[in-house]
Amino acid sequence: MEVLPEFKLHRPGTLAEALKIRGSLDEARYISGGTDLLANIRRGLTPTENLIELSGLSELQRFEADADGLHIGAAVTLATIGNDPAIKQDYAVLAEAANAVAGATHRAVATIGGNLCLDTRCLFYNQSQWWRDSNDGCMKYEGEICHVVPTSKRCYAAYSGDTAPALLVLNAEIEIAGPDGSRRVPLDDLFNDDGIDYLTLAPGEMVTMVHLPAASKSKTASSYTKLRIRDSIDFPLAGVAVRVTQENGKVTALDAAVTGTNSTPIRVTGCDAFVGLEFDEEQGQKFAKLVQKQTSPVQTTTTKPQYRRRAVTAMSKTLTQNLLQALSA
Amino acid sequence: MNSVLQMTVNGRPRADVVADNMLLVDYLREVCGLTGTKIGCDGGECGACTILADGGARLSCLTLAHSCAGQVIETVEGQATRGELSAVQSSFHEKLGSQCGYCTPGMIMTSESLLRTNTNPTEDEIREALGGNICRCTGYIKIIESVQAAAEIINASREAAE
C-alpha cells in the first residue's frame, strides 16, 4: 500500500474546539477509529491536508440511558456497544450488528459514528492507485464512468455499514453538529441513494450522537444477519436487520432494513401488510418478495449480484421466522 | 508537520520528533528499531502488526503514532522478562503455534491481550479474538492450542502464587 500523504493532525480537546478548527479550514476530514479512513487515505482515495481527531472528545463518549431512551455518543466504540449487557438485552439487533463489523481488534477502536458514515465500497474503488489507474479510475474517483453500470449517470458503490440497518429498525435519531450549529434528525435522513454523495452531511458537519427510543414494553425480538466471504472479518455482501413483535401468534409490528445491496441502507417499506397476520410460509414468501423488490445488488463485489439478491431474500425470511419462533417459545 | 511525541514503549519512556502522518507501525519499526512488529497486508486485514496500547490489542498499521501520545505501548520484543519467554511466547514455541513465523508477533500480542482480561477463554472466544489475525500457513489449530496452553500456564502460576 502507498505511504500516507502529508497532512496536519489536529487533536482538539473539546467538541467546540474541533468545530472551530474545522470552521477555520477550507478542507479537512474528521477521524476517530480510522480503521476505514486511514486505509482509504493510503490508497489515495480520500486525499486530505487536515485530519481532526475526535476519538478523545468526552462529548462524543457519552453513553447513558434515561426515560427518553439510550444515548450513544458517536465516538463510542463498536466493542463497547457489542459487549454492553443492556444493549444485548433491549436492543439485540444493534449489539449483533456491532459485533459483526470486521474483527475484534478493529472494533476496539472503530466507532458507531464512523460506521454510520462509512464510505461506500466497490470492486472498482477499493483498490490500489495502480489498479485504479489501469481502469482510468471510476466515476466515484478520478474517472468518468461507472464500471459497474457503464451507461449510468450515477455511481453504484454499495453502502456497507452494518450498524445502520440495525439502528433503522430501532427508529434511531441522530444529532449532527457543524460549524454553523447542530440539528437532530431521524437516522433515515442521513443517507442518500448515491455512491458518491451517500451522506446528507454538509461540509464540516459530523454525527455527534445516536438516540434510541426507550426499549419497547411489548414482547419484541430483533436480530441482524450478515452474508460475507470470511465470517471473521469481511464487509457485508448483504446484511439484514429485523425487529418484530407478536401477540397470540399474530405479528403486531415488523420492521426490516438491509445494508450492502444499494448505495444507501434500505428501510423495507410495506411491512405493515403483515400486521395482524400469522407469519406462515406464504407470508414469509411474500415478505421475501417485498425485500427483493426494494434491494438491487449490482457487481460491486466479486460475488455475483444474482447470488446476493437471492441470499438477501432468503436471509430476511429465515431471520424473521426464527425471531417469531423465539417469541412463541 | 513534525512534533514531539511522548509515549512509553516496552516499559521505557520515549520522546521523539515524529511526523503527523507517521503510522504507529512505522514509528515502532523505523524510529524505535523494533522490527518484531510485522507489516503484512498494510491495511488492517491481516493482524500481523498487532501491538498493545494501554493493554488492548491494536492494529499499528491503522493507527497514527501521534494518536497514541501518552499511551503505554507494548510490542513482541517487550514480552520476555529477563530473557525468559512469556507464557504466550513459550506456549507458541512448545505447541508449534508458529510455522513461517510472520504472523506470530501479531498472534502473540492479540493472545496476550485476550488472556489479560480472560484467563479461561473458550475455544470460541479464542477464535473470536484472533479473528482478525490471518496465518497464511493456515496453522490455526496449533495456534489455538498454543493459546489454551498459555492460559493453563498463567492459571497454574497464579494458583502457585496464592
Side-chain angles (χ1 to χ4, degrees), chain A residues 5 9 11 42 53 106-107, chain B residues 20-21 42 44 66-67 128:
Chain A
L9 178 68
R11 303 189 75 208
R42 295 187 75 182
E53 192 175 86
H106 300 89
R107 294 195 293 272
Chain B
D20 278 14
N21 66 345
D42 222 8
H66 275 287
S67 298
E128 176 61 35

Side-chain angles (χ1 to χ4, degrees), chain B residues 65-146:
Chain B
H66 275 287
S67 298
C68 300
Q71 294 187 1
V72 174
I73 303 296
E74 293 170 67
T75 70
V76 72
E77 289 94 338
Q79 298 307 297
T81 351
R82 287 183 289 279
E84 197 172 314
L85 296 181
S86 72
V88 178
Q89 285 176 311
S90 61
S91 301
F92 268 73
H93 177 67
E94 293 294 326
K95 294 285 174 185
L96 307 177
S98 183
Q99 290 185 47
C100 86
Y102 203 82
C103 73
T104 309
M107 291 284 180
I108 285 178
M109 298 316 285
T110 310
S111 307
E112 180 69 31
S113 158
L114 168 70
L115 294 176
R116 282 189 197 177
T117 52
N118 179 359
T119 51
N120 283 305
T122 61
E123 187 182 327
D124 280 350
E125 285 171 333
I126 296 171
R127 284 179 179 273
E128 176 61 35
L130 289 173
N133 290 73
I134 290 172
C135 168
R136 271 314 59 174
C137 309
T138 67
Y140 294 107
I141 303 295
K142 291 290 171 194
I143 289 169
I144 288 159
E145 286 174 10
S146 303

